[in-house]
Amino acid sequence: MQLQLSLAVADRLHETLLVRGAPLDAHEAACLLTASAECPPALSHRILDALVAEDRRFCWTESSGDGASTLASGGPAAAGDVEEPCEGACEARDRRICLCHWQAADPDLLEVPFVALDLETTGARTGTSKITEIGAVRIEGLREVATFHTLVNPMRSIPRMITEITGITQEMVADAPRIEQVIPELLEFLRGAVVVAHNAGFDVGFLNYELRRLKGRELGDGAIDTLPLARALAPGLVNYKLATVAESLGAPVAACHRALADAQAAGHVFVTLMSRLREQGVTRLSEARAFMVSSARAATEKLALTRELPLAPGAYRFVDRDGRVIYVGHGERLQEQVRSHFTGMPSNARKMRQAVRLVERIEWEETHTPLEAILREHQLILEHRPSCNQHGVRPETYAYLKVRQAGPGLCLYVSSRTPRTLVTGDPGSKGGSSHQVLGPFRGRSRLISALDLLQRCYPIRDCPRQPQARPCDRGRTGGCLAPCLGDPAIRRRHDRLVRQILSWLGGRTDGDLVEPARRVEELAAELAEQKRYEEVQKLRQSWEDLLSVRRSYSALADASKLRFAALWPQESNGDGPTVRLNLIWDGRLCSCVSLRRENLRQDVDAALTGCIDEGQRPGEAGRVTGHEAATRRARNCHVAVWQHEVDPLLAVRRWLKEAAGPDAVIITASGPVRAHSDEWRDRLVAEALRMLDS
């Protein structure tokens, strides 16, 4: 019987076995796979035979008369091996399904062949990016015995940035073999060995993609990742990049983004760390694996905490033994999202690993829609300030770029102090105020670095000086136009330059402004000519910070202008079908309502009118309404929001651009909404009716 089992269903069985820690009866496992309380015994075995044949994680085990279990079929494959299901698997009725690693042999580390592997590619995404170089080192008896190296023709262009990193050019790979020519020789080199790599998910992921495409199979399970191993056995390093770890462990070959050198460096790291494990009495392969994934295994034991979570959108909280909320998240399908934290430990961020280690209880609340779940998550983060969340925990530290009319000309400066108001005119202009606010931005140091670079590139003031008879050092050397001298023409020229810089930050270009990129290149050339290479490197980093600030500002400006409606069909709860409507106005969720046929037009009209009326009311302290947003647009001022609004605004934008699922229907508003409110309302009503009728 040909049977295709979805990865999600097989994963559920895998997690169930991990939680129970013991094999499952075939009938019970088949009922779990088919989501049926009853499954005929013959069909149970046929389903599971197909699963064991296709999924290397599972195998059969037979129960002997004395209660012991023996391996019936399947088993862990080495890197180059292919599993074959045993004949007659369907006949035995006393077998149970289990995980292969429970039944695997446990050799001494000195008896196991390993291959340290490294790939260079045209990019970071499997499928769209391709392999350009493969390097491998075979290790036997924990000693290097052979190497494998080849360039690979990716059959596509190599981006300039990749060439700068790796040194691999288009000319170098033009006559190299294609990946389908390389794979057979590589598999022979890997035969019978356990793959080792630093950040193994990257290298193994690329190789498995090509193996699936060309051979219809993958490497055997169980590649060893030296990244978590190094974190455990070489603590205290500034980072755990391969180059850093290899240097700290005295590797004879430096990691340099070339495949063979990096494979040799990874091999040295692996052998050194294995030697440290052996000194601690860890001599068997299973013991080494247990040590390397101890945090992951501890996490899988906590999968039982997720059993009651629904497959519905919502927000969740990780609670530690003292009752403190340590992490807040959201998910479109809560159970799957939360389980991913416990089954993907090696790739999790440090704070996420900490949260998984400390969690003792999971609390959750369902929401009607994924969008409501996202915004509920940010409300909970502000309420609980969880220690393991990365963003949104302390928005009061986000920094604004402020423009102040303080004496002689406009002055740019960075401040995390909350402004009294976000609605200001152009500082220094007629009818304007003395301040203008942009942002805020995450990362105060990044913003300071960007501002320092702007003040190096352009002759604008960087001090709060009052008018004096003499300029500062920057003014005397031409680094500043010195508006402090009081010359009205110079001051106007200076203030115009500041406004041009702000326009560039906002994504606009002015014909009179020399582009910052050109100024940075000129400064870098001057420093390089003086052999001040460290300063050149710092200048490049400041340029990256400036571009990052510009992108962040563009995203915030885009988010604060979003106006759209999202509709989802909802399951009937006994009183007929409904459609859930989320109205986003100026980036903020202003209305959530469940629509029913009998009051459809009235409810849509009330929700839409409420948003429009909200936009006409003056803003209250601590928030921006549509009135303030409209005032800013009318005055052509720059975008500023309250600090606690940044993360929800960006989350809504990210959801709309990247995560809006096929279940949601998005209707965007454009133009003066009050003038077109009837048209927009009719579109919403028509779409809601279509959903109710479907």
Side-chain angles (χ1 to χ4, degrees):
M1 177 183 70
Q2 282 300 110
L3 180 64
Q4 294 293 330
L5 294 173
S6 74
L7 287 176
V9 173
D11 286 346
R12 195 171 306 139
L13 176 60
H14 181 258
E15 290 165 6
T16 300
L17 287 166
L18 285 173
V19 171
R20 296 195 182 187
L24 274 175
D25 174 80
H27 178 68
E28 185 179 359
C31 290
L32 179 66
L33 285 172
T34 59
S36 171
E38 292 296 332
C39 186
L43 181 60
S44 298
H45 284 276
R46 296 179 71 191
I47 290 173
L48 293 174
D49 276 331
L51 177 66
V52 169
E54 296 295 330
D55 196 318
R56 298 179 181 277
R57 294 174 295 179
F58 304 103
C59 64
W60 285 110
T61 182
E62 294 180 348
S63 297
S64 61
D66 58 1
S69 295
T70 58
L71 187 63
S73 68
D81 295 339
V82 182
E83 286 183 17
E84 296 292 344
C86 69
E87 294 294 331
C90 300
E91 283 74 12
R93 298 303 179 92
D94 58 348
R95 296 170 305 152
R96 295 178 295 170
I97 194 166
C98 72
L99 298 180
C100 287
H101 74 260
W102 292 347
Q103 303 284 356
D106 191 15
D108 189 283
L109 289 169
L110 292 173
E111 300 171 353
V112 180
F114 299 95
V115 171
L117 177 72
D118 188 83
L119 308 179
E120 300 301 331
T121 64
T122 61
R125 183 174 296 180
T126 56
T128 56
S129 301
K130 293 296 182 180
I131 298 170
T132 58
E133 188 178 32
I134 300 175
V137 176
R138 192 169 182 94
I139 299 167
E140 297 178 3
L142 295 183
R143 296 175 59 186
E144 179 181 323
V145 297
T147 61
F148 175 92
H149 173 254
T150 182
L151 289 167
V152 180
N153 189 337
M155 303 303 293
R156 64 189 59 194
S157 61
I158 300 175
R160 186 179 67 176
M161 181 183 68
I162 298 298
T163 296
E164 291 175 354
I165 293 173
T166 65
I168 300 174
T169 65
Q170 207 72 45
E171 293 75 17
M172 291 170 62
V173 299
D175 297 325
R178 296 168 61 172
I179 188 65
E180 51 264 37
Q181 298 170 289
V182 172
I183 285 292
E185 188 178 355
L186 176 62
L187 289 180
E188 185 61 32
F189 189 82
L190 294 173
R191 180 169 295 277
V194 176
V195 171
V196 173
H198 198 77
N199 190 19
F202 177 87
D203 303 280
V204 174
F206 267 89
L207 193 52
N208 275 339
Y209 174 84
E210 299 297 345
L211 284 171
R212 285 194 302 269
R213 185 175 67 85
L214 298 171
K215 301 287 186 180
R217 63 182 181 88
E218 297 182 351
L219 294 179
D221 293 337
I224 292 178
D225 193 343
T226 55
L227 178 58
L229 186 64
R231 286 188 178 129
L233 292 172
L237 301 184
V238 292
N239 61 60
Y240 286 88
K241 297 177 181 178
L242 177 58
T244 304
V245 177
E247 182 181 2
S248 71
L249 298 181
V253 179
C256 58
H257 293 292
R258 291 302 301 268
L260 183 57
D262 286 4
Q264 290 173 318
H268 177 85
V269 168
F270 172 74
V271 169
T272 303
L273 297 179
M274 285 295 105
S275 298
R276 293 186 180 183
L277 277 183
R278 289 178 64 82
E279 291 172 359
Q280 299 179 23
V282 175
T283 61
R284 297 282 175 179
L285 181 60
S286 66
E287 295 171 344
R289 289 191 186 281
F291 179 88
M292 288 183 288
V293 297
S294 58
S295 58
R297 287 198 172 181
T300 58
E301 293 174 2
K302 295 185 177 182
L303 277 171
L305 298 175
T306 70
R307 285 177 177 169
E308 303 301 322
L309 270 72
L311 289 171
Y316 58 91
R317 301 178 291 276
F318 283 7
V319 183
D320 68 8
R321 67 177 61 186
D322 297 322
R324 294 174 300 204
V325 175
I326 56 174
Y327 181 78
V328 171
H330 79 277
E332 186 169 344
R333 295 165 65 86
L334 273 174
Q335 188 181 79
E336 292 179 0
Q337 174 62 29
V338 176
R339 283 184 173 179
S340 69
H341 297 314
F342 297 98
T343 58
M345 285 298 293
S347 59
N348 281 344
R350 178 181 60 84
K351 285 194 173 184
M352 192 67 248
R353 294 197 301 271
Q354 181 184 14
V356 170
R357 186 174 67 252
L358 296 176
V359 64
E360 296 291 333
R361 186 175 80 254
I362 299 174
E363 299 174 349
W364 70 90
E365 51 189 271
E366 293 186 43
T367 59
H368 290 279
T369 70
L371 190 53
E372 292 174 38
I374 291 171
L375 296 172
R376 181 56 180 156
E377 172 194 21
H378 288 284
Q379 292 173 353
L380 291 171
I381 289 174
L382 282 176
E383 177 183 343
H384 295 287
R385 307 292 178 118
S387 60
C388 294
N389 279 83
Q390 290 185 314
H391 297 302
V393 179
R394 298 184 59 203
E396 62 274 8
T397 64
Y398 295 170
Y400 292 96
L401 181 62
K402 295 184 178 180
V403 191
R404 178 174 59 189
Q405 180 66 52
L410 298 178
C411 178
L412 294 175
Y413 66 104
V414 174
S415 173
S416 296
R417 180 176 297 178
T418 304
R420 289 191 297 272
T421 179
L422 299 178
V423 182
T424 64
D426 186 358
S429 64
K430 185 176 180 180
S433 71
S434 61
H435 287 78
Q436 187 173 343
V437 182
L438 290 77
F441 303 88
R442 297 169 177 161
R444 180 186 176 93
S445 60
R446 178 186 61 150
L447 185 58
I448 291 173
S449 172
L451 179 56
D452 288 344
L453 179 61
L454 289 172
Q455 290 167 339
R456 288 187 67 180
C457 290
Y458 301 102
I460 58 175
R461 51 183 294 214
D462 64 355
C463 61
R465 292 174 59 86
Q466 297 298 318
Q468 293 184 7
R470 57 186 177 82
C472 63
D473 289 340
R474 286 188 74 228
R476 285 195 297 271
T477 59
C480 176
L481 289 174
C484 56
L485 294 180
D487 186 323
I490 290 179
R491 175 174 170 175
R492 287 194 297 272
R493 180 184 167 196
H494 173 272
D495 290 357
R496 181 172 181 269
L497 179 58
V498 171
R499 295 188 184 97
Q500 288 175 325
I501 292 170
L502 294 177
S503 294
W504 180 86
L505 277 175
R508 298 181 295 275
T509 56
D510 191 295
D512 297 336
L513 182 71
V514 178
E515 279 286 323
R518 178 179 165 186
R519 292 291 300 125
V520 168
E521 290 300 327
E522 292 171 353
L523 288 171
E526 293 173 9
L527 293 170
E529 189 175 346
Q530 300 169 27
K531 301 188 184 309
R532 296 157 64 182
Y533 300 116
E534 290 186 6
E535 292 184 51
V536 172
Q537 183 62 33
K538 292 179 181 178
L539 185 72
R540 300 286 186 197
Q541 182 58 55
S542 294
W543 172 240
E544 292 299 323
D545 291 336
L546 179 58
L547 290 178
S548 175
V549 166
R550 194 187 193 207
R551 288 192 297 268
S552 296
Y553 186 68
S554 173
L556 183 61
D558 185 34
S560 66
K561 294 183 293 186
L562 290 176
R563 290 181 175 180
F564 67 87
L567 300 99
W568 286 265
Q570 303 285 291
E571 293 184 5
S572 174
N573 57 3
D575 55 354
T578 61
V579 171
R580 186 69 172 179
L581 170 65
N582 290 167
L583 274 177
I584 298 294
W585 202 265
D586 291 329
R588 300 156 182 88
L589 182 63
C590 74
S591 181
C592 301
V593 60
S594 293
L595 305 174
R596 292 179 173 82
R597 182 183 298 277
E598 54 269 21
N599 297 312
L600 178 59
R601 183 169 291 274
Q602 298 94 313
D603 289 343
V604 169
D605 193 55
L608 187 56
T609 301
C611 286
I612 295 175
D613 291 344
E614 176 75 10
Q616 305 305 313
R617 290 200 295 271
E620 302 171 4
R623 69 184 183 91
V624 176
T625 66
H627 172 78
E628 290 178 302
T631 303
R632 289 199 297 271
R633 286 193 292 270
R635 294 182 181 177
N636 197 29
C637 295
H638 289 81
V639 174
V641 301
W642 302 109
Q643 289 155 310
H644 66 269
E645 290 187 312
V646 170
D647 295 291
L649 280 169
L650 294 178
V652 169
R653 175 180 179 269
R654 185 166 54 252
W655 177 85
L656 182 63
K657 292 178 72 68
E658 301 175 3
D663 293 338
V665 173
I666 308 298
I667 300 178
T668 305
S670 59
V673 177
R674 179 168 287 280
H676 301 285
S677 59
D678 290 343
E679 176 187 346
W680 201 33
R681 179 193 59 209
D682 291 342
R683 290 177 62 197
L684 292 174
V685 170
E687 186 57 44
L689 278 173
R690 185 191 67 78
M691 289 184 171
L692 290 169
D693 291 337
S694 62

